[in-house]
Amino acid sequence: MDRAQKEKVVEELGQIFESSGVVVVSHYEGMTVAEMQDLRARMREAGGSVRVAKNKLAKIALEGKPAASIADYLTGMTVLAYSEDPVAAAKVIDAYAKDNSKLEILGGAMGENALDVAGVKAVAQMPSREELIASIVGCIGAPASNIAGAIGAPASNIASILSTIEEKGEAA
C-alpha cells in the first residue's frame, strides 16, 4: 500500500470515527471468510458496516476524534463495527459473538463515551431507533383512539335508548 492509499484509508476511517453513533472493536482471529461475510451481511441489514483496517492507520485516524478512547483496543486482528444508529452495531456484534466464539468483543465508543465489554453489551440491550419511534407513535396514537371511543360511545348509547323508547311507544 503506497502513501496515497494509506492517506485515503486514514481519511475514510476518520469519517467513520467522526460520524458513527457507535463503534465496536472486536478480535476476529480464526474466523473464516464465510463467517466474516455473514457478519457483514447481518450488519448491513441492521444499517451498519464492518471494516478491517491496519491498527496503525486506525490509530492515526482516531487522533482528535470523539472515539479516540478505543485506540487501546487496536491490537492484534481487530475488526471495527459501526453504525449511525447508536445501538445497531452493538446489537449485531453482541448477537454474533454469542453464536460465534471466534469473535471476541473488546470494547468500543459511543461518541466520546468509552465502552468496555459490559458497556457494549448494555448498549446492545437498549431499544433501537426504530423500536423507540414505534413505541412513541403507539403512545401518541393510544389517547386519540381512546378519545374517539369515548366520543362514539355516548352517541351509540343515546341511539340505543331512543330506539328502545320508540319500540315501547309502538308496542303500546
Side-chain angles (χ1 to χ4, degrees), residues 80-95:
L80 302 170
Y82 56 94
S83 62
E84 281 186 40
D85 182 334
V87 298
K91 278 184 180 293
V92 173
I93 283 289
D94 185 48

Side-chain angles (χ1 to χ4, degrees), residues 2 14 17 24-25 38-39 45 55 73 77 83-84 87 91-92 95 100 103 111 113-114 122-123 132 146 153 167:
D2 68 0
F17 296 137
V24 180
V25 182
D38 181 39
L39 174 60
E45 262 179 47
N55 292 331
Y73 298 127
M77 294 180 67
S83 62
E84 281 186 40
V87 298
K91 278 184 180 293
V92 173
N100 190 329
L103 185 72
N113 301 318
V123 168
L132 284 173
N146 290 345
E167 288 172 10

